[in-house]
Amino acid sequence: LVLLLERFATDWTDGHIDPTRVTVVPFPRLMNDFDTLLFEVLERIGHPPGAALRARVVAQAETQRRFHSTHRYDLSRFGLTEAQVLADTRRFREAFLCGAEPPGSAAS
């Protein structure tokens, strides 16, 4: 998994992935801004939502905004430490979790 994340981050930042064909969505946005995000995706693919879909999306967004997981991983069960996970995923986190924009964007 780490190799896959590394390769994707490198390909993304080096411009080998067409950002008009791929959207990277941080998990917090999926949970906290689901409705806006989904309507953006539907617009991007040229599929305007009908009234029923719009209502279902808005209802799901409210459910997700209220959800708070109590699930926690015990890294030691997998022979890992937090320091190791952070080190192994540094390149990916820098590319996608720290506001990095896709190649060719206005912020690049």
Side-chain angles (χ1 to χ4, degrees), residues 73-108:
Y73 288 101
D74 178 4
L75 294 176
S76 66
R77 279 187 60 203
F78 304 101
L80 299 170
T81 66
E82 182 178 1
Q84 180 184 358
V85 171
L86 291 173
D88 287 349
T89 59
R90 182 184 60 80
R91 175 96 168 95
F92 183 82
R93 288 181 299 103
E94 287 174 351
F96 299 107
L97 301 179
C98 298
E101 294 293 328
S105 71
S108 294

Side-chain angles (χ1 to χ4, degrees), residues 12-60:
W12 181 264
T13 56
D14 288 351
H16 298 297
I17 296 173
D18 180 355
T20 66
R21 298 179 51 101
V22 175
T23 299
V24 176
V25 178
F27 184 74
R29 181 154 190 233
L30 183 65
M31 293 304 290
N32 299 321
D33 195 22
F34 179 78
D35 46 350
T36 303
L37 172 64
L38 190 60
F39 294 138
E40 288 172 7
V41 169
L42 291 172
E43 181 178 327
R44 182 174 180 168
I45 65 171
H47 184 80
L53 177 57
R54 186 171 287 279
R56 288 181 63 196
V57 167
V58 169
Q60 180 63 42

